[in-house]
């Protein structure tokens, strides 16, 4: 079963080491010790904690869709020529890049700082794991 040192867990959740310690002290996360005596958190428990404590930004569009992967964020870059455009959205810690027509950018009124929702519907999702 994988375990993560407090510093690793903090990086994965986007918080400080102190926050992980406070959550462990409060009983929100169960701390254990690794072979070197460092405090660790069980990977399965950390995954469940991350899932249940995720701060999802509500989709402001109010449109029902079959796609479940929505990333609400701010437009941070638009690179456009006469026909095509590359639009980048920063959605929390996630950078989402979309290629679309320049006409779509104009019709949507996209500009730097615009609120936007990236909707991802894919038949293929690749999953990778770091080397052990």
């Amino acid at each position: 079963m994988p375990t993560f040192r407090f510093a690793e867990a903090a990086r994965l959740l986007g918080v400080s080491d102190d926050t992980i310690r406070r959550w462990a002290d409060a009983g929100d996360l169960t701390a254990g010790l690794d072979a070197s005596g460092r405090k660790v958190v069980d990977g399965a428990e950390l995954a469940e904690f991350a899932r249940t404590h995720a701060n999802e930004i509500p989709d402001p569009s109010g449109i029902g869709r079959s796609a479940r992967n929505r990333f609400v964020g701010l437009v941070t870059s638009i690179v456009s020529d006469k026909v095509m455009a590359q639009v980048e959205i920063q959605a929390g810690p996630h950078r989402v890049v979309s290629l679309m027509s320049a006409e779509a950018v104009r019709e949507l009124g996209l500009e730097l700082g615009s609120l936007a929702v990236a909707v991802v519907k894919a038949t293929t999702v690749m999953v990778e794991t770091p080397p052990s």
Side-chain angles (χ1 to χ4, degrees):
M1 194 162 351
T3 59
F4 295 93
R5 293 191 325 256
F6 278 19
E8 294 172 313
R11 277 193 300 278
L12 290 168
L13 297 183
V15 298
S16 71
D17 299 12
D18 288 336
T19 298
I20 297 294
R21 277 189 206 81
R22 282 193 298 277
W23 286 338
D25 290 345
D28 296 326
L29 287 172
T30 307
L33 295 176
D34 66 9
S36 301
R38 294 177 295 206
K39 288 188 176 183
V40 294
V41 178
D42 173 72
E45 181 181 352
L46 187 63
E48 177 63 15
F49 184 86
R51 188 186 65 74
T52 59
H53 289 79
N55 293 322
E56 185 176 337
I57 300 169
D59 184 341
S61 68
I63 298 171
R65 313 184 173 84
S66 62
R68 296 290 174 244
N69 301 312
R70 298 178 183 148
F71 297 91
V72 179
L74 296 173
V75 175
T76 56
S77 174
I78 300 173
V79 178
S80 185
D81 62 21
K82 289 184 177 184
V83 178
M84 294 300 295
Q86 175 181 304
V87 177
E88 292 185 20
I89 298 171
Q90 191 67 40
H94 305 288
R95 177 179 160 257
V96 181
V97 179
S98 177
L99 300 178
M100 64 183 72
S101 69
E103 179 182 22
V105 170
R106 287 188 300 274
E107 287 177 359
L108 292 170
L110 295 177
E111 58 187 24
L112 293 181
S114 295
L115 178 63
V117 181
V119 180
V120 179
K121 177 104 176 175
T123 58
T124 303
V125 175
M126 290 182 255
V127 175
E128 300 176 341
T129 60
S132 328

